[in-house]
Amino acid sequence: MAGWLFFLAMDLACGLFLLVVGGIFLELLAGSWPSIRAFGLSFLWTSAWDPVAGKFGALPFIYGTLVSSLVAIALAAGVGLLAAIYLAEFAPGWLGAPLGLLIELLAAVPSVVYGLWGLFVLSPIVRSQIGPFLQATLGFLPLFSGPIYGVGMLTAILILVLMIVPTVVAVSRDVLLAVPDIQRESMLALGATRWEVTRRVVLPAARGGIFGACVLALGRAVGETIATTMVIGNRPVISASLFAPGYTLASVIANEFTEATTTVYLGALTELGLLLFVLSLIVNGLARVLLRALSGGLRQA
Amino acid sequence: MSGAVVHRARSAALWRLRSAAAPWLCACCAAGVAGALLLILGYVVREGLGAFSLSFLTELPHPVGVAGGGVGNGIVGSLIIVGLAALMAFPVGTLAGIFLASSGWETLVDLVRYLCDVLASIPSIAIGLFAYSLLVEPFGHFSGFSASFAFAVLMLPLIIRTSEAAMRGVSHEIREAAIALGAREHVATLRFVLPAAWPGVVTGLLLAVARVTGETAPLLFTAFGSQFWELNPANPMAELSLQIFTYAISPYRSWHAQAWAGALLLILSVFALSVLARLFLRRSARS
Amino acid sequence: MFASGAVTVSGSMTVKLACRGLSAYFGQLRALHDINLDIATNSVTAVIGPSGCGKSTLVRCFNRMHEVVGGARVEGQVLLDGEDVYGPGVDAPAVRRRIGMVFQRPTPFPTMTIEENVVAGLSLDGNRLSRTAKERVVERGLRQAALWDEVKDQLGKPGTSLSGGQQQRLCIARALAVEPEVLLLDEPCSQLDPISTARIEELLSELAADYTIVLVTHNMQQAARASNFTAFLLGGKLVEFGETNQIFTNPACRETEDYVTGRFG
């Protein structure tokens, strides 16, 4: 009797879970329907965002989300991986373990805290120091042209880097530490230096997990709402300059959803949510395929 | 090494340099990351302590221009919203996790596990939209309960995967020994495997609570916020991280100070939860 | 008793590797006490003793692998051709290229193919191998390790796809490819079946023509079969060292006799 109940409870839990995941997709789809019907696929590549005229296009937000998260992950992956290598391979035990734990804790710092710091500390620095410096040295690039507001794409990218780098470090460090010591010793015994051991044995063995860490961090950057909203400037424009304000899918939902009045407006915002959902599905799917290719190539190599 | 077999690369000296410099570069990155993050943390502590007081913890927010005031209602709101979320997510998540660890129905197990990954990767704001359309729109007003629901959905994948891992971590011999004693499959799971896996399950719950405690995005259109002592989750409720956000983007200096103090409080609670989770896991690993 | 004072190899043989007053520590724990030992060129020297007696630690001191564990340190000298490997300015990787090592468990690098495993130690330090040189090294290494015939058609497969005994010979090939002068084997057969073990023992006697071999083993029959000299360690101290025949038939110390006749350990 008890067994029967237990199995029923388990099945119910699973059913509920499946219902929730399916429900998310269906609800988002249903919510976006007015917008999908009104704009069709052109929603994806038009950039008008005019609630008064009832014209909506998602391009600036897609652009903002992709640029901010991709640049952020590129920077965070490089710095984070090197930091993780130091913690796992080179740091003395008394330093590596506590520092690793600290960074793991910092990975849990809420995004609103990063946003707060970005808004009040980082953006003034970008306006008065980093921005002018970049403009003076690299100003000939369109990337660093135009007026510097402080809030904008560059500040958002920097905040995202700070937010996701602990994730990259913490997960990569775990992955590196999971490589058995005997592998390291075997390479050392062949006369390799510590760096050669890292390059030739540890990193190849850990590359799948490191890739996973980066995908996790990228996912966090794509979906980040509060911190980006606070520092990106919130203007639906596509600008070549990193100093210019931008907007992301998540930010515009956060800012405008409670103020949206018309059905089409609400639908457009919900469709942006649906896009975010699909975007993270694509990121995850691509990661899976790449990971399989990575390990498959290894098996045949 | 015989020269006939190996010929030196022209850039051997360069290689040596790189081999020697690489660890230092790594060390610089680690120092940079740790330094930058500690700088942020230090800043929050400094600014936050300035506005921290007992009344900050216990009082209602004051209107702009009236000195003092606190986030007491936000703290209570956070406790209620997160508590309700844990109550919803824990049984469902744990049972689903046990299912993943013990079921032989491969197709369903794979599907649930895959969807778990999918759910974990959906941005929290999209979950907020889902909670809105399910629990706010039909009732015509915002509510603390809809926020709890959004949080519960966010907690689910974490709880499912950690409880599955905890169940699988229990050695197979325990289950087999129990079955060999004549216990039925489910009795073996409930009486023998689950108690051994319990610390891992609780750790997962604590980490999930820590994760949603810092969440703000879904609250914008679920809990919405409130200026009052609102204890009924059927109504719009205040929540700490939401208050920090609102204060931060306001133009008032006194509110900014409160935002810093709130950020300090939020960081402290999230850290406490994470440390607690770790200690719990370590103690159980030792026993 | 030979607990202190140099133990010299008899006759006209030259000394390849020697230790003088060698002590090893793990933190506060002293694992080796004042070891003095001479190892003859082109011989197989077995190191025997009960588990925990410091056999592995001793050979790990020879190629400076002891120090890679946190908190571990060494006192005294290890002389390779009369030069102290712990001397000032001596580069540990350079020492390890002259003194190769094979571990207890086969450790092919899982991300590398058989071929890549063999040359793993050669492409270090900025060196590059040409295609033909690589093929030559791979074939020679695998032939020396008596593995060539078994794997020559599957050089591109992962090293981990081989059986345990083959993996261990692959590790020997990998160590030999670096062309070391001394080869240390730390219980290389403890995880292997009797047939693989016999192959490796056979291999050792062939390799002794070109290399100086130190074999750590807990298997006394193996020491008796495969070595010219035997060192018996107990509690981190060198109890007795001599020709294998003499150690096994007419040991000088009571402890050695008890051990080799199986009365303890």
Side-chain angles (χ1 to χ4, degrees), chain B residues 1-2 4-9 11-12 15-16, chain C residues 97 122 125-130 133 137 178-179:
Chain B
M1 223 180 295
S2 75
V5 171
V6 176
H7 57 89
R8 281 213 165 281
S11 53
W15 174 272
R16 282 264 162 85
Chain C
R97 272 185 293 241
L122 280 180
D125 216 11
N127 291 319
R128 293 260 164 68
L129 281 177
S130 68
V137 172
V178 187
E179 297 189 36

Side-chain angles (χ1 to χ4, degrees), chain C:
Chain C
M1 272 297 253
F2 294 93
S4 62
V7 179
T8 45
V9 178
S10 57
S12 59
M13 292 178 132
T14 53
V15 174
K16 183 71 192 174
L17 191 66
C19 43
R20 295 282 173 267
L22 183 72
S23 295
Y25 300 82
F26 292 102
Q28 295 301 310
L29 183 81
R30 192 174 185 184
L32 289 178
H33 295 261
D34 196 25
I35 306 278
N36 293 289
L37 184 68
D38 283 357
I39 287 165
T41 308
N42 292 0
S43 70
V44 178
T45 302
V47 181
I48 61 169
S51 24
C53 71
K55 320 185 278 285
S56 292
T57 308
L58 177 63
V59 295
R60 287 170 67 94
C61 286
F62 290 166
N63 65 342
R64 299 190 57 168
M65 284 299 288
H66 178 64
E67 68 203 45
V68 307
V69 182
R73 67 198 162 82
V74 174
E75 281 169 12
Q77 294 181 309
V78 172
L79 306 171
L80 177 62
D81 288 336
E83 261 181 275
D84 187 8
V85 303
Y86 289 98
V90 176
D91 184 33
V95 171
R96 294 178 196 135
R97 272 185 293 241
R98 293 179 65 191
I99 308 180
M101 187 168 208
V102 174
F103 294 83
Q104 186 167 357
R105 274 198 329 198
T107 56
F109 300 122
T111 55
M112 298 185 191
T113 64
I114 292 175
E115 193 172 36
E116 287 166 347
N117 260 289
V118 177
V119 296
L122 280 180
S123 42
L124 302 174
D125 216 11
N127 291 319
R128 293 260 164 68
L129 281 177
S130 68
R131 181 78 216 150
T132 49
K134 188 169 168 183
E135 279 166 8
R136 198 143 33 96
V137 172
V138 168
E139 181 170 349
R140 194 192 56 202
L142 289 172
R143 277 193 193 283
Q144 277 186 309
L147 191 60
W148 175 250
D149 291 330
E150 292 161 57
V151 301
K152 64 182 174 211
D153 300 323
Q154 40 177 328
L155 295 176
K157 282 199 180 168
T160 43
S161 66
L162 299 173
S163 74
Q166 288 175 324
Q167 287 189 14
Q168 195 60 301
R169 277 179 281 147
L170 177 60
C171 292
I172 293 177
R174 184 174 71 189
L176 293 177
V178 187
E179 297 189 36
E181 297 153 41
V182 180
L183 187 62
L184 310 173
L185 298 109
D186 187 357
E187 303 197 23
C189 304
S190 64
Q191 313 260 326
L192 303 183
D193 60 89
I195 295 169
S196 304
T197 303
R199 292 227 51 168
I200 288 182
E201 285 177 17
E202 202 179 309
L203 184 60
L204 291 184
S205 60
E206 288 165 25
L207 290 174
D210 301 311
Y211 301 90
T212 302
I213 292 173
V214 181
L215 170 70
V216 173
T217 177
H218 60 251
N219 178 336
M220 280 171 290
Q221 285 75 33
Q222 183 169 58
R225 282 191 305 257
S227 70
N228 311 111
F229 299 94
T230 296
F232 173 53
L233 257 65
L234 189 60
K237 295 190 172 105
L238 178 64
V239 175
E240 188 166 349
F241 176 59
E243 289 192 25
T244 299
N245 267 340
Q246 177 244 318
I247 295 279
F248 279 90
T249 56
N250 187 21
C253 299
R254 182 63 196 268
E255 289 98 327
T256 316
E257 191 178 344
D258 285 349
Y259 184 72
V260 298
T261 54
R263 246 167 266 163
F264 75 86

Side-chain angles (χ1 to χ4, degrees), chain B residues 167-254:
Chain B
M167 294 289 290
R168 284 188 188 276
V170 177
S171 77
H172 206 61
E173 282 86 10
I174 290 188
R175 175 190 296 267
E176 288 190 338
I179 291 173
L181 285 174
R184 282 178 202 288
E185 192 75 33
H186 70 272
V187 176
T189 301
L190 279 177
R191 287 262 186 80
F192 298 94
V193 182
L194 193 55
W198 200 242
V201 174
V202 175
T203 305
L205 176 70
L206 286 171
L207 287 176
V209 168
R211 156 133 174 44
V212 296
T213 299
E215 264 306 333
T216 318
L219 299 171
L220 293 166
F221 30 84
T222 51
F224 192 70
S226 159
Q227 295 295 309
F228 314 107
W229 289 107
E230 185 56 74
L231 300 177
N232 183 357
N235 296 328
M237 278 176 110
E239 209 268 1
L240 183 59
S241 63
L242 189 59
Q243 275 174 330
I244 299 172
F245 176 66
T246 318
Y247 285 178
I249 58 172
S250 77
Y252 313 112
R253 197 163 277 278
S254 60

